[in-house]
Amino acid sequence: MISDFFKSFKLRSYSLYIMFGVATVLLFLKGMSSFITSSEFWSIFLSQHLLPFQDVWPSVFMKPIFHSVLALIHLLEFSDTNHIYFAKLLFTLNGIAQFFLVYFLLNQLFKKSSFLNLLLTAFLFLSPLILTHFDRIRSDQLALTVMLFYLYFIYSRPSVQFRYHFAFLMIFPLIGFKHIYFSILVLFFIPLKSTFDYFKTLSFFKRFIIILLFANALVWGIFLGIPSLSYFLAILRSDLNFRGPLVWLKTEWFFIYLSLIPFFIAPFRKYLKNKGLSILWKIQCVSLLIIVIHPQKFPFFIASFLPLIYLNGLFFIHYLKDTQLIPRRIFITTVVGMSFYNLYLAQKHYRILTTNQQQFETISALSKIITENNLTYLDGMGVLPTGKNVGCFVSPEDDLSNQACLQFIKAGTADAIIVTNRLMTLGFDFSTLGKYQYHAAGPNLFIHERIKKDLAIENTNWAPPILIFSSEQLN
């Protein structure tokens, strides 16, 4: 009997490792091959201006930690394509880390259910929004990873000292100013009474240091946040953009029901209280409130809060298992069926099966013309991260930056113009570029006449940038 137990234990262990391996490989392949959006390209390019601390690029300081991660890649002196590959690799691994952190958190809370925890983690990642955004090169995803680590950190320790809570409070706004939302969530986990009692026991010198650190962090937070605050106030006057939440409600109703309805069940609330998880209900409610009040409700922003909102749905499944309220066969059939349905919705509404092959082929071809010939270029988004971008990013809410782009075009500032989907939103008639001494040199590529006569272009066989460099895959 003992030998049978060990054989069964080894079999379960091997199966668990195989499932982990399969999930990791699938997430890695999905992340590395997925379409790269225009704002991701801009972040990669913009990060090179962080380390020189150039005042002419104030937006890079809005997300200091996020841009610091990307800035390190610029020290390696990659080609344009390899540079973007490496950035894609880092944030694909960041998304895979989220998968592991959710599993570790569930395993910490429900120690004897390793297989179920892995299945629930996989089920969570079948959320259409999570599946399509876990690999994005965005500060939102980096902040989510830190938040999941924070949850695992505090639940894996019987008591957490204030200095650790304080460190996380400060980290989130430095990832990106808008991620102060996560700092608000951290406040729910700080035991105020014991914190004040601990503070009173400290010496005058230690209290002075803590207050000084807090004041310093506050001043720097305000300094870094002023540009973000002015932008935030500007977008408050714009469309509140409820399209993202409506599509979310339409495609993820099962996850939402599973996460919200259980709180009308008194025994489940008692179940959470007994396990010390009641506070996560507050986190869920506040996360939903943040999505409602934040002006720009883009899918990537909503996706960064979904694991926190859906965690209680996973807890409810554990509750159903422990109480045996639903027969196992019906339960498993429902979860598996809804998982496949989620994949269908994800492909229908978010196109989870996207590709970046054409993007990399075009970047390689354009890099040989522009970067290798040391030309300046303008495209409104920075698809050549090591090239000399004249420095304009087209944003629907940033009229100052958009006007600068138009001025650069009309003044003939850049040696080359790559017409991308984002650049087209300027409202400029690009058929009139000849009036500004730009001439076509390939699909959506225009070269200034001062350069074109001395430039030998051998290959112009690339996909039109206007179709493959945008906020979503168009072709």
Side-chain angles (χ1 to χ4, degrees), residues 418-467:
I418 305 169
V419 182
T420 61
N421 183 275
R422 189 171 283 265
L423 204 60
M424 286 292 292
T425 62
L426 283 176
F428 178 80
D429 184 2
F430 285 91
S431 65
T432 65
L433 276 177
K435 185 170 70 173
Y436 303 100
Q437 300 179 314
Y438 286 101
H439 304 284
N444 299 147
L445 174 65
F446 296 83
I447 304 293
H448 200 278
E449 65 180 29
R450 66 174 176 267
I451 301 296
K452 195 172 187 302
K453 60 183 179 181
D454 299 321
L455 192 65
I457 301 176
E458 299 178 358
N459 173 36
T460 60
N461 186 27
W462 60 74
I466 196 173
L467 294 178

Side-chain angles (χ1 to χ4, degrees), residues 230-297:
S230 60
Y231 178 74
F232 182 82
L233 293 174
I235 62 178
L236 276 175
R237 296 190 295 270
S238 68
D239 179 17
L240 290 179
N241 188 21
F242 280 96
R243 180 180 177 275
L246 289 175
V247 175
W248 170 45
L249 293 172
K250 179 180 178 181
T251 58
E252 306 211 6
W253 56 269
F254 181 74
F255 282 98
I256 297 170
Y257 288 173
L258 186 65
S259 301
L260 297 183
I261 289 180
F263 287 102
F264 295 98
I265 304 173
F268 175 64
R269 295 198 301 271
K270 184 178 180 181
Y271 175 84
L272 288 183
K273 185 177 181 179
N274 292 337
K275 286 189 170 292
L277 300 175
S278 297
I279 195 170
L280 290 176
W281 173 71
K282 298 177 183 178
I283 297 302
Q284 181 190 55
C285 293
V286 174
S287 296
L288 286 168
L289 180 62
I290 288 170
I291 291 175
V292 171
I293 65 173
H294 188 72
Q296 291 185 321
K297 310 174 199 303

Side-chain angles (χ1 to χ4, degrees), residues 29 51 71 104 143 148 160 168 213 234 264-265 354 356 371 386:
L29 293 176
L51 296 181
F104 291 151
L148 290 173
V160 178
F168 282 98
L213 285 173
F264 295 98
I265 304 173
T354 58
N356 54 37
T371 306
T386 67

Side-chain angles (χ1 to χ4, degrees), residues 29-37 41 81 84-85 88 351 353-366 461-465 467-469 473 475:
L29 293 176
K30 163 67 175 64
M32 291 302 294
S33 63
S34 65
F35 183 82
I36 306 170
T37 62
F41 280 112
T81 51
I84 297 170
Y85 265 126
K88 193 67 175 161
R351 294 187 65 177
L353 299 179
T354 58
T355 176
N356 54 37
Q357 180 181 353
Q358 285 187 327
Q359 290 181 311
F360 278 107
E361 290 174 352
T362 301
I363 289 169
S364 178
L366 291 173
N461 186 27
W462 60 74
L467 294 178
I468 63 171
F469 296 124
Q473 189 157 13
N475 61 337

Side-chain angles (χ1 to χ4, degrees), residues 374-377 390 412-417 438 446-448 450-451:
N374 206 31
L375 305 183
T376 57
Y377 78 100
V390 297
T413 304
D415 298 326
I417 294 178
Y438 286 101
F446 296 83
I447 304 293
H448 200 278
R450 66 174 176 267
I451 301 296

